[in-house]
Amino acid sequence: MTPILPILAAVLFSGLLYIGRGYWAWVSVLAVGLGAWALSGVDTPVAFAAAAIAALVLALLFGVPAIRRRLITPPIMGLVRSILPRMGETERIALEAGTVWWDGELFSGNPDWRWLLDFKPKPLTERERAFLDGPVEELCRMIDDWRIAQDRDLSPEAWDFMKRERFFGMIVPEEYGGLGFSAIANSAVVVKISSRSVAAGCTVMVPNSLGPAELILHYGTKAQKDHYLGRLARGEEVPCFALTEPHAGSDAASGRATGVVCLGTFDGEEVTGIRLNWQKRYITLAPVATVIGLSFRLLDPDGLLGGEVDRGITCALIPRDLPGIGIGDRHDPMGVAFQNGPTTGTDVFVPLDFIIGGVDGIGQGWRMLMDCLAVGRAISLPALSVAAIELAARTTGAYATVREQFSMPIGRFEGIEEALARIGGHAYMMNAARVLTCGAVDAGEKPAVPSAIVKAYLTESMRACVADAMDILAGAAVCRGPGNNLSRIYTAVPIGITVEGANILTRSLIIFGQGSIRCHPFVQDEMRAIAENDLGRFDAAFFGHLGFVFSNAVRAFGLALTRGRLAKVPGTSSTAPYFRALTRLSAAFALITDTALGTMGGALKRREKISGRLADALAWMYIASAALKRFHDDGHPGSDLPFLRWSCDLALYNIEGALRGVLDNLPNRPAAALVRLLVFPMGARARPPADDLGAEVARGLLDGNEARLRMSADIFVPGAGEDGLGKLETALELVLAAQGIQKKIRDAVRSGDLEATPADTIAERAAAKGIVTADERRQTEEAEKARDAVIEVAAYDTDTYDSLKG
């Protein structure tokens, strides 16, 4: 028996595991090589010498950096250079935008849970709470979403109120006359308003997201800040930001809008400026905007600025009233009546100082947009999604208690229970993810990958759960009218799915594409080293990467065999198993990621189904982390434990399914088989939430239980007499109060002491027979009247129906 194969296997494994960790590497390689020889059973001196020499040579080649960098690293660097995808400047900027936060820990294969639990998200200040309890509540009482749909706009009173109370200046610092709110306060305001009206929510969120105020605040000149920020905060200027074009949607960097540097006349003076031409669409607030934030490619064909002709993507502030601007028309996005429309510009001339940041901002537009989007995506659409899920939880929990079929509340049927569980579980985890990500922003991060995750996966969860809510309310949700508070959110769902990066793109390209480069501990260093032709840096990164791969392989295998028990994690008996499972899957994710990168190279960029599954795994690890963080920060409340367990069980099931999907479809089948053996040696273990657990979550939303209020604590609840949720809350209270009386009547029917029909006189007949008292009769009749009111749907005469809009 020859010792060569065991020697080589041991040497390579040991070498790759320890390479890059100093000169002790060669010692380990030599020791393991000789150990393999000893175990081979061959004891001849020649075999021993061969083993020793082979081990020594490999130890020197791989273990001594000076030798390795001269003989081994250059051809490896050339090979890696040839398989890496080509990357343009705009793509590089997009991938490098923002900062790495908790997502980096999840990519590491060994997340530091104690760090996450010790992280303290910024709470709302007293001033922010006062705004939520004061002006925001007042605005919500002022607006009528059904009326907005019919009038196709918010009322003039609502517009004036929002401007006066500085709703458009939440992100503008107080020194400029704005509110200077935190990200979590901005999000909380959008949640509450959106739960009342999606149109109003969109109107408020856009000026406080990616747009002129945000760009001026971070990149504007002092003159631009002094001129615009106060006016924007007070609503004297209404902003929009024009990015999307007919030929540049998801590929926004390919826009055809141009600005040509030239001489021209502005306000009677000849100045160096820009002649702009653009055609933009889907621009929120454009029809009513007074100032347009414009993205365009700046060209300098006459060399007036010196340097290159193509100066790159640039952003400028364009007053609406300049000659050549076309603006005012409206799109109709799913009938949701927020202001949205196209804008065009033909030979619009502006001075150079209209560029955001002045001449220093030339060519910096794409970087500005990507950095701001890393923050804005964390706030607006996740807040809208949480508004929708909390409204769904509040509404369905009450309706499924009040509405009866087959002589029992519909919430007692397992089919309804299943949908209620999905709504309740998602409400818990979605709000947890919203709060955690806003906490990162308030801590000074620009969490590009987490913000993409919450934008895409919270809006997708909104889509699924609002559909569940529609199923539960059935005809009451289908028939539009003043009392239907679900249909307009249901209609608006595709808007959230599409804007700020369509979810298909975000999932398949952005989350994993950006994450695999920014969050991975070595990939970005490898790419930069190749771009700069830095052999030493590449050597350190590449062999460090190999050590990372093999250490994760060992960890993933050990954690899989022991169900994560080798992992040191925090938590209680209720939460520690989830921390262990996520640690195990983080190691599996890191290994599978490196396997995909190593076997597919640049081709992975085009294999969007595989990168999309890797994004799924990363996203659900993040969402589960947020749910565990919420449970910890709330003090481990026992009443929330079913919601946490449901959230984590679903997340673990989705993570494992995504990773198995990658291995099932990885083109390199031997690599896939080997990695599958390491990460899933015992096969699939994760299961979706059990039926009994789902029943427990659903019951938390029924019968007026406290959990329904906790899962909907951030939304606006209208007064008792108002159509929709207001009347539903009243009916719930009355029906619950009359439950004991109703039981007396049902018992009398079962015993034969009372006829079940006619149903509309049963309380009267029960009182006549002394089964219930007169007061109890009045109470149950009142409850039945309230029940009928919320079951009733709107009906219209022909003329009224013909006049309906939206």
Side-chain angles (χ1 to χ4, degrees):
M1 176 180 177
T2 176
I4 296 300
L5 289 179
I7 288 172
L8 288 178
V11 165
L12 288 175
F13 179 77
S14 177
L16 291 172
L17 183 60
Y18 288 98
I19 238 115
R21 298 190 179 187
Y23 287 95
W24 286 103
W26 74 270
V27 177
S28 69
V29 174
L30 183 61
V32 173
L34 294 176
W37 168 81
L39 291 174
S40 72
V42 179
D43 56 0
T44 66
V46 174
F48 177 83
I53 293 170
L56 182 60
V57 169
L58 289 171
L60 291 172
L61 284 174
F62 286 94
V64 180
I67 298 175
R68 187 179 69 228
R69 289 170 186 167
R70 185 175 182 84
L71 301 176
I72 302 298
T73 305
I76 294 176
M77 187 174 179
L79 176 64
V80 174
R81 188 195 307 273
S82 69
I83 64 176
L84 281 177
R86 293 184 179 181
M87 189 176 299
E89 179 68 9
T90 55
E91 187 176 10
R92 184 187 62 79
I93 290 171
L95 289 172
E96 293 180 355
T99 58
V100 177
W101 191 60
W102 178 246
D103 44 325
E105 288 291 320
L106 296 174
F107 255 93
S108 74
N110 189 21
D112 185 350
W113 296 108
R114 178 49 55 191
W115 180 90
L116 178 68
L117 297 184
D118 289 343
F119 172 71
K120 303 296 182 186
K122 183 178 181 181
L124 293 170
T125 66
E126 290 186 11
R127 189 169 65 89
E128 290 167 343
R129 288 190 181 279
F131 188 79
L132 280 165
D133 296 338
V136 176
E137 284 280 325
E138 187 174 349
L139 176 63
C140 288
R141 288 191 294 269
M142 181 183 299
I143 56 182
D144 178 341
D145 200 37
W146 176 250
R147 190 71 265 149
I148 291 171
Q150 300 312 303
D151 294 343
R152 312 301 291 132
D153 196 3
L154 280 70
S155 69
E157 293 77 17
W159 276 103
D160 290 343
F161 182 81
M162 289 188 294
K163 293 176 180 179
R164 185 170 65 252
E165 296 295 333
R166 295 174 292 172
F167 277 82
F168 298 159
M170 287 192 289
I171 64 171
V172 176
E174 290 183 86
E175 63 188 277
Y176 291 102
L179 295 173
F181 280 175
S182 62
I184 192 62
N186 184 352
S187 174
V189 170
V190 173
V191 169
K192 183 167 281 193
I193 296 173
S194 298
S195 72
R196 180 63 160 167
S197 166
V198 174
C202 291
T203 301
V204 169
M205 73 172 68
V206 167
N208 293 289
S209 185
L210 176 63
E214 178 89 353
L215 293 169
I216 294 169
L217 181 62
H218 293 293
Y219 308 106
T221 64
K222 184 179 185 302
Q224 289 169 344
K225 292 177 181 179
D226 290 342
H227 177 77
Y228 276 111
L229 288 179
R231 297 169 62 82
L232 289 166
R234 294 186 297 270
E236 295 169 14
E237 299 275 11
V238 176
C240 71
F241 190 79
L243 175 63
T244 305
E245 301 180 10
H247 300 94
S250 297
D251 184 12
S254 66
R256 299 181 182 181
T258 59
V260 177
V261 179
C262 61
L263 298 177
T265 301
F266 192 85
D267 284 346
E269 296 184 12
E270 185 173 349
V271 297
T272 301
I274 314 165
R275 194 165 305 282
L276 293 156
N277 288 274
W278 73 83
Q279 186 179 7
K280 305 283 186 175
R281 65 178 182 179
Y282 308 149
I283 311 304
T284 297
L285 295 184
V288 295
T290 61
V291 59
I292 304 166
L294 185 70
S295 169
F296 60 95
R297 184 167 294 279
L298 184 66
L299 305 173
D300 185 18
D302 296 330
L304 297 179
L305 302 178
E308 298 179 355
V309 172
D310 187 345
R311 304 305 296 266
I313 296 173
T314 303
C315 297
L317 301 167
I318 314 298
R320 173 196 179 105
D321 57 1
L322 293 181
I325 294 178
I327 196 167
D329 290 348
R330 293 181 67 174
H331 299 309
D332 185 13
M334 300 301 293
V336 181
F338 64 96
Q339 295 282 343
N340 183 279
T343 174
T344 62
T346 304
D347 292 335
V348 179
F349 183 80
V350 297
L352 284 176
D353 57 13
F354 279 32
I355 295 172
I356 295 176
V359 293
D360 290 339
I362 291 174
Q364 299 301 308
W366 191 241
R367 186 180 302 278
M368 295 177 185
L369 295 176
M370 293 300 99
D371 280 344
C372 288
L373 195 58
V375 172
R377 266 199 294 232
I379 299 171
S380 299
L381 293 173
L384 173 64
S385 302
V386 167
I389 190 66
E390 289 198 0
L391 181 62
R394 187 109 181 186
T395 300
T396 55
Y399 190 85
T401 301
V402 170
R403 177 66 159 145
E404 291 187 351
Q405 289 287 274
F406 305 101
S407 301
M408 62 187 291
I410 63 171
R412 302 299 178 209
F413 293 92
E414 286 197 357
I416 300 295
E417 189 179 80
E418 194 173 22
L420 283 171
R422 289 193 293 266
I423 292 170
H426 279 90
Y428 186 85
M429 69 173 98
M430 287 169 64
N431 206 18
R434 174 187 74 93
V435 172
L436 179 62
T437 314
C438 286
V441 174
D442 284 329
E445 301 288 342
K446 294 181 179 179
V449 173
S451 68
I453 287 171
V454 292
K455 185 275 166 183
Y457 287 80
L458 267 59
T459 54
E460 288 293 342
S461 296
M462 169 180 65
R463 168 154 55 185
C465 291
V466 170
D468 278 333
M470 294 288 288
D471 288 348
I472 291 170
L473 269 69
V478 170
C479 293
R480 297 187 304 131
N484 186 341
N485 57 319
L486 287 180
S487 65
R488 288 180 291 282
I489 281 189
Y490 178 78
T491 303
V493 163
I495 300 169
I497 298 292
T498 303
V499 300
E500 290 190 358
N503 283 1
I504 291 177
L505 167 79
T506 302
R507 172 182 176 266
S508 60
L509 292 177
I510 295 176
I511 292 172
F512 180 74
Q514 188 168 28
S516 63
I517 294 175
R518 291 302 312 280
C519 304
H520 195 287
F522 297 103
V523 168
Q524 190 170 25
D525 274 349
E526 290 168 333
M527 294 179 69
R528 285 176 174 169
I530 288 173
E532 297 168 10
N533 204 29
D534 187 334
L535 183 67
R537 184 176 182 180
F538 177 81
D539 176 85
F542 180 79
F543 286 99
H545 191 164
L546 287 181
F548 175 75
V549 171
F550 278 90
S551 63
N552 268 325
V554 173
R555 291 189 72 256
F557 185 62
L559 291 171
L561 285 178
T562 63
R563 298 180 67 89
R565 289 184 178 86
L566 294 178
K568 185 179 180 181
V569 298
T572 65
S573 59
S574 299
T575 58
Y578 292 118
F579 284 117
R580 283 194 288 266
L582 286 169
T583 301
R584 174 177 69 86
L585 290 171
S586 173
F589 171 77
L591 180 60
I592 292 172
T593 291
D594 278 319
T595 303
L597 290 170
T599 60
M600 300 179 68
L604 181 57
K605 179 180 177 181
R606 298 183 296 276
R607 295 297 297 270
E608 296 171 18
K609 296 173 187 176
I610 289 177
S611 64
R613 292 185 183 100
L614 289 165
D616 290 341
L618 178 62
W620 282 106
M621 284 193 290
Y622 182 81
I623 292 167
S625 302
L628 287 162
K629 169 70 170 168
R630 174 179 179 174
F631 190 73
H632 172 270
D633 288 355
D634 289 348
H636 301 83
S639 54
D640 281 359
L641 185 56
F643 292 86
L644 172 71
R645 291 178 56 213
W646 195 97
S647 300
C648 289
D649 285 352
L650 178 67
L652 295 176
Y653 180 70
N654 287 341
I655 296 164
E656 187 173 282
L659 294 179
R660 290 175 63 216
V662 174
L663 295 176
D664 288 344
N665 292 278
L666 202 65
N668 189 317
R669 301 314 300 154
L674 175 61
V675 173
R676 188 189 302 276
L677 179 64
L678 292 173
V679 300
F680 297 125
M682 311 299 290
R685 293 180 176 181
R687 297 292 182 269
D691 289 350
D692 289 347
L693 178 59
E696 198 173 351
V697 171
R699 285 195 295 270
L701 300 183
L702 295 169
D703 299 328
N705 286 328
E706 186 69 21
R708 185 180 74 99
L709 305 182
R710 291 198 310 278
M711 296 305 127
S712 59
D714 304 288
I715 66 171
F716 174 75
V717 180
E722 186 171 326
D723 286 335
L725 185 57
K727 288 184 177 179
L728 182 56
E729 292 285 312
T730 300
L732 176 65
E733 182 180 347
L734 292 173
V735 166
L736 291 174
Q739 279 183 339
I741 306 167
Q742 294 280 7
K743 184 177 184 303
K744 288 183 184 181
I745 295 174
R746 286 195 299 270
D747 289 346
V749 171
R750 278 195 292 267
S751 66
D753 294 333
L754 187 66
E755 293 291 331
T757 56
D760 56 353
T761 63
I762 195 169
E764 178 185 352
R765 290 183 284 110
K769 289 191 174 187
I771 297 169
V772 298
T773 67
D775 281 346
E776 288 175 329
R777 171 194 168 184
R778 176 193 55 76
Q779 192 174 351
T780 192
E781 287 179 340
E782 205 171 276
E784 288 303 313
K785 182 179 179 181
R787 192 197 311 268
D788 290 343
V790 298
I791 293 172
E792 190 64 50
V793 298
Y796 311 95
D797 60 49
T798 302
D799 291 340
T800 304
Y801 179 82
D802 288 344
S803 69
L804 293 181
K805 301 176 184 177

